[in-house]
Amino acid sequence: MGFKRHLTSGEIVAQVMYYARMLHAQNNVITNVVFMGMGEPFHNYDNTMKALRMLREERGLAVSPKRVTLSTVGVLPALERLAAEPWMPNLAISLHATTEDQRDALVPVNRKYGLEDIVEAARRFPVKRRSRITFEYVLLHNVNDTPEDARRLVRLLGRIRCKVNLIPLNDAAGIPFQRPSDERVNVF
């Protein structure tokens, strides 16, 4: 659809409140909030952080920072800015590759903020006690799913307190990649 504009903090909160009301009607509650899939949150840093503060308020949803995750592809200036925030959500970084060339092809912003720079920023990121950075890694058949990719991933993230969320691609029309077999995923 292409970029039109950034969401306001009110529009971001409205999305969460809509689902909170819908779940409440079913005698359920929102337990976690993940900022993902609505554009790069760090390109809309001020509105994203304002929305997080609004959701934290008692008049919002009184959401604990432990229950909020912000997912990014790694926009370095904003990542460094987040490191200084007094109220910090959990951090998830969409990595998807273990080499610069591979990530350049899969995540175009890598040409500006390279893999090594993102990993180094993650090493410096202030992770709260008993917390971890999550690295998201979508497995693509014959692209980034080899045992060597797995070994490089371990070496790349070895000194970071983190967890890796391996996500086998969900096949869909128009996506030029395929999901690896379950066997290949398990080998990885």
Side-chain angles (χ1 to χ4, degrees):
M1 291 177 3
F3 176 77
K4 301 288 185 216
R5 67 176 177 84
H6 290 297
L7 296 175
T8 67
S9 54
E11 289 169 327
I12 296 168
V13 170
Q15 291 178 56
V16 179
M17 298 304 285
Y18 172 83
Y19 287 102
R21 284 188 201 99
M22 190 171 68
L23 287 171
H24 181 73
Q26 300 168 5
N27 294 317
N28 288 309
V29 295
I30 286 182
T31 56
N32 295 290
V33 176
V34 180
F35 283 71
M36 171 190 264
M38 54 185 239
E40 169 58 50
F42 280 165
H43 286 159
N44 191 16
Y45 188 92
D46 291 331
N47 286 333
T48 296
M49 294 310 293
K50 184 175 180 183
L52 289 171
R53 289 189 300 272
M54 292 165 70
L55 290 169
R56 179 189 68 192
E57 294 295 322
E58 198 63 41
R59 294 180 314 224
L61 288 177
V63 176
S64 163
K66 295 175 188 174
R67 300 281 184 193
V68 177
T69 300
L70 191 151
S71 179
T72 179
V73 293
V75 178
L76 285 179
L79 185 58
E80 291 164 0
R81 194 171 163 194
L82 180 68
E85 288 285 343
W87 190 83
M88 192 180 307
N90 296 308
L91 177 63
I93 299 174
S94 297
L95 208 56
H96 312 315
T98 58
T99 68
E100 295 291 357
D101 288 341
Q102 195 180 52
R103 196 161 192 268
D104 282 351
L106 296 173
V107 185
V109 76
N110 194 67
R111 294 180 198 115
K112 187 170 185 176
Y113 308 112
L115 179 62
E116 291 294 328
D117 294 329
I118 291 167
V119 170
E120 186 54 39
R123 279 190 190 99
R124 293 189 312 268
F125 198 80
V127 179
K128 295 174 272 191
R129 209 170 131 240
R130 289 190 268 159
S131 291
R132 290 177 169 71
I133 295 173
T134 298
F135 287 93
E136 297 155 335
Y137 194 96
V138 174
L139 290 166
L140 307 170
H141 179 65
N142 286 335
V143 176
N144 65 354
D145 64 342
T146 67
E148 183 52 37
D149 286 308
R151 285 188 282 277
R152 276 194 306 266
L153 185 61
V154 169
R155 285 191 301 271
L156 194 63
L157 304 179
R159 295 179 301 159
I160 301 172
R161 200 161 73 209
C162 67
K163 61 184 173 183
V164 176
N165 183 9
L166 291 178
I167 309 163
L169 176 73
N170 289 317
D171 286 321
I175 294 177
F177 302 104
Q178 295 177 328
R179 182 191 193 284
S181 67
D182 287 344
E183 180 182 333
R184 198 160 169 106
V185 170
N186 290 338
V187 167
F188 189 94

